[in-house]
């Protein structure tokens, strides 16, 4: 039986040998691109192409052109000389072409719809954030207007100042005439209607 220390030393040596024999990847340089069997394409340009195709498939012009081609196909294969006909009466080749067109049109339309859903989701998120900002601004302006109203409630208005000045003017006229010598100049200084201990 082999002692434990010798087996761990052998395992370390074996793992070190495999690590040393492996090529190390450099972290300061990008990896070289791997070769792929499938061709690469730009998903954005492919999505734009699918949207163009889906937009064209949804127009009346496409339906008119497709109807025209089908009618021309059928008329040619029914009335042309038998040597020039390429699709006889059951029109199997026409059915194959229409199913091929439908099999490509459906995924392209779905891809265009997915891209539109993504755009709608982004627009909805932006609208939601804009609504939140608008609500916050509205609440801020409401608080400011309420603070201004409270502040204006404590500010002397023109009518209040006019009435106070008229009272002072009456008091001065009465003083000059000598009718009430015990009254003060300002309405707050009047002793009438106030408790003496409140001063």
């Amino acid at each position: 039986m082999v002692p434990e220390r010798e087996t761990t030393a052998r395992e370390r040596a074996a793992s070190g040998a495999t690590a040393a024999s492996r090529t190390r990847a450099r972290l300061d340089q990008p990896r070289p691109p791997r070769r792929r069997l499938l061709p690469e394409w730009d998903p954005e340009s492919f999505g734009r192409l699918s949207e163009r195709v889906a937009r064209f498939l949804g127009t009346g012009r496409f339906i008119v052109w497709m109807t025209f081609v089908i009618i021309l196909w059928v008329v040619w294969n029914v009335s042309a000389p038998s040597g020039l006909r390429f699709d006889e009466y059951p029109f199997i080749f026409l059915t194959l072409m229409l199913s091929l067109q439908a099999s490509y049109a459906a995924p392209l339309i779905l891809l265009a719809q997915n891209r539109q859903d993504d755009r709608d989701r982004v627009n909805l998120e932006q609208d939601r954030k804009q609504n939140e900002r608008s609500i916050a601004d509205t609440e801020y302006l409401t608080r400011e207007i309420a603070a201004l109203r409270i502040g204006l409630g404590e500010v002397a208005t023109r009518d209040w100042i006019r009435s106070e000045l008229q009272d002072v003017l009456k008091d001065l006229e009465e003083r000059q005439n000598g009718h009430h010598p015990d009254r003060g100049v300002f309405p707050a200084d009047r002793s009438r209607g106030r408790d003496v201990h409140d001063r």
Side-chain angles (χ1 to χ4, degrees):
M1 193 166 176
V2 182
E4 276 186 38
R5 290 184 184 176
E6 290 179 15
T7 55
T8 55
R10 284 182 193 165
E11 288 173 2
R12 286 182 194 155
S15 65
T18 52
S21 63
R22 268 190 282 168
T23 58
R24 293 189 177 193
R26 294 194 52 160
L27 297 178
D28 60 340
Q29 294 177 355
R31 286 185 175 180
R34 287 189 259 171
R35 293 186 179 189
R36 296 187 179 187
L37 298 175
L38 297 174
E40 293 186 21
W41 63 87
D42 182 20
E44 190 64 28
S45 61
F46 190 73
R48 283 194 299 267
L49 174 68
S50 70
E51 284 179 345
R52 276 193 223 116
V53 170
R55 199 170 291 122
F56 176 68
L57 290 176
T59 60
R61 185 170 42 175
F62 170 73
I63 295 172
V64 168
W65 277 107
M66 189 170 163
T67 305
F68 177 72
V69 167
I70 291 172
I71 290 172
L72 185 66
W73 186 298
V74 171
V75 168
W76 178 265
N77 286 306
V78 168
S79 62
S82 60
L84 296 175
R85 293 180 191 169
F86 55 89
D87 194 14
E88 292 295 328
Y89 165 67
F91 307 121
I92 296 171
F93 189 52
L94 176 63
T95 307
L96 177 67
M97 294 303 292
L98 290 175
S99 63
L100 184 67
Q101 180 264 333
S103 67
Y104 272 97
L108 288 173
I109 291 171
L110 287 174
L111 181 60
Q113 285 179 349
N114 288 341
R115 285 173 56 86
Q116 186 62 41
D117 289 343
D118 292 341
R119 275 197 300 270
D120 290 344
R121 192 176 303 114
V122 170
N123 288 337
L124 285 173
E125 184 67 23
Q126 289 176 350
D127 289 346
R128 187 183 64 79
K129 288 181 180 177
Q130 182 65 34
N131 288 341
E132 287 177 357
R133 283 195 295 269
S134 298
I135 289 170
D137 291 344
T138 306
E139 288 176 354
Y140 171 74
L141 289 174
T142 305
R143 285 193 300 269
E144 289 296 314
I145 289 172
L148 285 174
R149 283 184 179 169
I150 291 170
L152 283 176
E154 297 173 358
V155 172
T157 60
R158 184 175 54 192
D159 293 336
W160 182 80
I161 291 174
R162 184 179 294 141
S163 68
E164 290 294 317
L165 288 175
Q166 286 174 354
D167 289 345
V168 169
L169 186 63
K170 284 181 186 176
D171 286 344
L172 286 175
E173 287 175 356
E174 289 175 358
R175 216 168 237 238
Q176 282 180 348
N177 294 336
H179 291 106
H180 300 286
D182 61 329
R183 297 182 72 182
V185 175
F186 295 104
D189 295 335
R190 296 176 193 159
S191 62
R192 183 177 50 127
R194 299 186 66 183
D195 192 1
V196 179
H197 300 292
D198 288 342
R199 290 190 172 189

